[in-house]
Amino acid sequence: MGERLDALETTSSAMRRPQKPDTTGKAEFDPSIPERRGTDGIADAVVPQRTSTAMRVLLVGSTGFLGKAIHAALARGGHQVAPLGRDQGYDLEDASSFDRAAPRLTGAEGIVIAAGDLTDDSGRAARMTEGIAALLDRAAATRVPNLVLISSIGAHPEAPLASLRGKAAQEQALLDHRRGNPSPNWTIVRPSLVCGPGGASSRLLASLASLPLRPRIRSGPIRPVHVDDLAEAVVRLLASPRTGEAAVDACGPDRVDLEGYLRAFEPEGRRAWPLPVPNGLERLLFRLAGRLRLPLAGDAMLQLLRAGADGDPKALPRRTGVTPRPLAAAAGGLMPASPVLRWLLVLGLAPFWIWSGLCSVWLWPVDQSAEMARQAGVPDALAVASVYAGGVLDIVIGAAMLPRATQYPASLAAVAVTVAYVAVMTFGAPELWLHPLGPAAKGLPLAAAALGVAMLAKADSPRKG
């Protein structure tokens, strides 16, 4: 892993987005300097003091993954939260709904814009950008003093995703307002990969991490940040005096690639076997997944993964005093464990394997079972022995599925044995695929169910760190 990240570091100029004008204030912290000038000429305090005055804050995107966390953080800080979204008759993608939302700006002391998701729908991204630009114009006209716009480290006019190109335009609109008026405390926050319970990407990647064998997808460097740390930082930025930093990166302390991120979810002693995927096959799979509208899929998303989401890990602590938790701590609670589903599968599969083995060894005529083995291509001399060996193996696998300590290896063994059974029948007696009782066809769902038990058992195991 270290060698891979060293290689990523040496090629970071190729993977990062083109540089914007320096609005991020990424100079190293020097405690001997009491004050410095920001990019817009406003004095930038080294550690801005947080105000204790409660505010009325409009929250756009309050029903999303990050929006819910920001809502909770604002409430903990004693602020009055006023959601602004479809439930209030306001749709950022519908310009005609803006007049209904305008009265809610009256008396607002802060706005947080946490709306938007990763999409390559140019039309939707354009409508979203127009809506946010209109909201910024109205906020400037009504002199809203504090505003935070959630953008992304990948935001750039030439980004592969339409939504990230839209984020770049939204950033520019906010910067134009900052230059036109030196008073408002308006800030852009650019997160890296945001993780935490309830996030769609977190659930997907945690599920991928629980596979015993998973494709190894190459990516650029990322710095995952926990959603609760990001939300707390947003609240502090909203309630702090304006500084010269118009934008701040929101990154965790750990710099990893996608494979390193997935490893953070893995339990002790149960590391997955990464399966290298050729570039051409990887592009094909992402393209097909994009056609199926699966999350984190498509050609543009693959380009985004290649570029990574690297940023300044010191920016958020310097501006807000919030130190994002390390990846090992942030990954806690994200594995898709479900004890009820796990035991439902186990109590269905374990008796099936045990009963199958008992039938093979004692309850069903061995000569008939041996004849089926011969039909499947087993040599005559091994037919009877294969029946007994297979029966004993089935009983051992079924019994080993019952104790929690052996569920994971037993489930993997069930997958391997089932695949072997199906392969033998397919090549030795392909007509069994047409058998009305489905001796071959039933193997595939049984293997999938056993794989599910393995994933859930792995998710419920103690993690590293």
Side-chain angles (χ1 to χ4, degrees):
M1 172 58 108
E3 293 81 357
R4 183 164 64 256
L5 293 182
D6 289 341
L8 290 171
E9 182 69 48
T10 59
T11 59
S12 61
S13 60
M15 292 186 291
R16 296 186 187 186
R17 57 189 174 90
Q19 296 295 311
K20 295 183 178 182
D22 184 14
T23 61
T24 58
K26 292 186 178 180
E28 290 292 324
F29 172 71
D30 186 348
S32 66
I33 302 176
E35 182 178 291
R36 62 177 180 271
R37 293 281 165 177
T39 55
D40 55 3
I42 307 299
D44 180 8
V46 173
V47 182
Q49 297 299 310
R50 185 182 182 187
T51 65
S52 58
T53 304
M55 296 184 290
R56 179 176 180 269
V57 180
L58 293 185
L59 178 56
V60 182
S62 61
T63 60
F65 170 49
L66 177 56
K68 291 177 180 177
I70 294 175
H71 191 295
L74 285 167
R76 286 195 302 269
H79 302 291
Q80 179 187 352
V81 185
L84 184 59
R86 290 186 176 91
D87 290 342
Q88 292 75 39
Y90 176 57
D91 185 353
L92 278 174
E93 298 182 45
D94 181 7
S96 64
S97 70
F98 193 79
D99 289 338
R100 295 192 294 273
R104 300 179 67 87
L105 290 173
T106 303
E109 299 163 282
I111 298 177
V112 177
I113 304 175
D117 54 9
L118 291 177
T119 177
D120 205 29
D121 186 333
S122 299
R124 182 183 178 193
R127 292 191 299 272
M128 181 73 70
T129 298
E130 291 173 3
I132 289 178
L135 181 59
L136 293 174
D137 290 342
R138 185 61 64 92
T142 55
R143 300 183 181 278
V144 175
N146 305 290
L147 186 145
V148 173
L149 171 66
I150 305 298
S151 183
S152 171
I153 279 182
H156 189 271
E158 298 178 3
L161 280 179
S163 58
L164 294 180
R165 296 192 294 272
K167 288 289 187 185
Q170 296 163 27
E171 288 188 7
Q172 188 59 53
L174 186 146
L175 293 173
D176 290 343
H177 283 294
R178 275 183 63 103
R179 282 191 287 267
N181 188 343
S183 297
N185 172 37
W186 287 20
T187 307
I188 299 164
V189 176
R190 295 171 178 154
S192 182
L193 177 65
V194 182
C195 62
S201 63
S202 296
R203 289 194 300 268
L204 176 64
L205 293 175
S207 298
L208 185 61
S210 69
L211 289 169
L213 179 67
R214 63 168 177 261
R216 184 171 184 174
I217 302 171
R218 288 167 289 277
S219 81
I222 56 178
R223 291 187 182 270
V225 58
H226 195 277
V227 64
D228 291 339
D229 298 331
L230 177 56
E232 178 61 26
V234 167
V235 174
R236 294 194 186 188
L237 285 169
L238 196 69
S240 298
R242 169 169 169 154
T243 73
E245 290 180 291
V248 57
D249 289 349
C251 302
D254 296 288
R255 186 175 189 265
V256 296
D257 64 357
L258 182 60
E259 179 61 26
Y261 176 76
L262 295 177
R263 286 183 181 177
F265 295 94
E266 291 185 324
E268 283 287 353
R270 293 186 177 176
R271 174 167 291 185
W273 301 312
L275 180 66
V277 181
N279 286 334
L281 179 58
E282 192 174 63
R283 287 193 298 270
L284 176 62
L285 292 175
F286 266 79
R287 189 168 300 167
L288 291 175
R291 294 288 178 87
L292 295 174
R293 300 193 177 277
L294 298 177
L296 303 181
D299 290 334
M301 183 58 67
L302 182 58
Q303 293 180 48
L304 189 63
L305 285 173
R306 290 279 196 269
D310 199 3
D312 180 6
K314 298 179 181 179
L316 209 61
R318 182 177 64 236
R319 275 294 304 272
T320 68
V322 174
T323 301
R325 68 198 73 182
L327 178 56
L334 297 186
M335 291 296 280
S338 174
V340 174
L341 177 59
R342 174 184 174 187
W343 282 105
L344 182 65
L345 290 171
V346 167
L347 294 177
L349 288 173
F352 166 79
W353 280 89
I354 294 172
W355 180 252
S356 176
L358 291 174
C359 288
S360 297
V361 175
W362 284 293
L363 302 179
W364 190 257
V366 174
D367 56 343
Q368 294 186 25
S369 297
E371 180 59 31
M372 291 184 65
R374 295 186 188 94
Q375 292 177 10
V378 177
D380 288 347
L382 299 177
V384 174
S386 69
V387 171
Y388 282 108
V392 172
L393 182 59
D394 288 353
I395 294 171
V396 171
I397 289 175
M401 277 190 178
L402 293 172
R404 293 183 60 182
T406 54
Q407 277 179 1
Y408 181 72
S411 300
L412 292 183
V415 173
V417 171
T418 303
V419 170
Y421 285 164
V422 172
V424 169
M425 286 186 283
T426 298
F427 292 102
E431 66 274 8
L432 290 177
W433 279 94
L434 303 178
H435 194 284
L437 295 182
K442 289 178 181 177
L444 298 181
L446 287 172
L451 180 60
V453 173
M455 294 173 64
L456 292 169
K458 182 178 180 180
D460 198 32
S461 301
R463 292 185 305 106
K464 296 182 296 181

